[in-house]
Amino acid sequence: MVKHIILWQLKDELSEEQKIEVKAGIKAGLEGLAGQIPGLIEIHVETEGLASSNADLMLDSSFEDEESLKGYAVHPAHVAVADGAVRPYTKTRVCLDFEK
């Protein structure tokens, strides 16, 4: 199994209200990919970090293997969510992929 973890920071110019809406949209969009992408085992977005956090949200996903992760990266449903709900609103992205 391969884990795919991403941490994002949202753009500074977003108001607190906008950040709440953006986080909800990212969560709905990414978690909505469950069952649509071959090899995607599990996908979860955490939007409520503790005050000690320096990221605004986290993607925690699991794939059957590295090839499944590569397929996810270019899958049209994932690209649509990434381009429409994630990239326009995020200023930083940190990713860690690993075998478990």
Side-chain angles (χ1 to χ4, degrees), residues 3-66:
K3 295 291 289 180
H4 175 61
I5 309 294
I6 297 179
L7 296 170
W8 290 283
Q9 289 180 321
L10 297 177
K11 291 183 176 177
D12 295 329
E13 60 265 24
L14 297 172
S15 69
E16 287 307 312
E17 183 177 291
Q18 288 172 315
K19 286 182 179 183
I20 291 168
E21 292 175 15
V22 166
K23 288 195 277 186
I26 290 172
K27 182 176 178 69
L30 289 173
E31 290 182 355
L33 297 174
Q36 294 189 51
I37 298 177
L40 175 60
I41 298 168
E42 184 178 18
I43 189 164
H44 175 71
V45 175
E46 182 58 54
T47 61
E48 300 301 323
L50 298 177
S52 57
S53 301
N54 62 6
D56 293 304
L57 63 163
M58 177 191 77
L59 169 68
D60 180 358
S61 53
S62 302
F63 294 85
E64 290 176 2
D65 52 29
E66 193 171 356

Side-chain angles (χ1 to χ4, degrees), residues 81-96:
V81 173
D83 287 347
V86 180
R87 291 186 183 113
Y89 306 104
T90 55
K91 67 176 182 176
T92 63
R93 175 188 181 271
V94 177
C95 175
L96 178 66

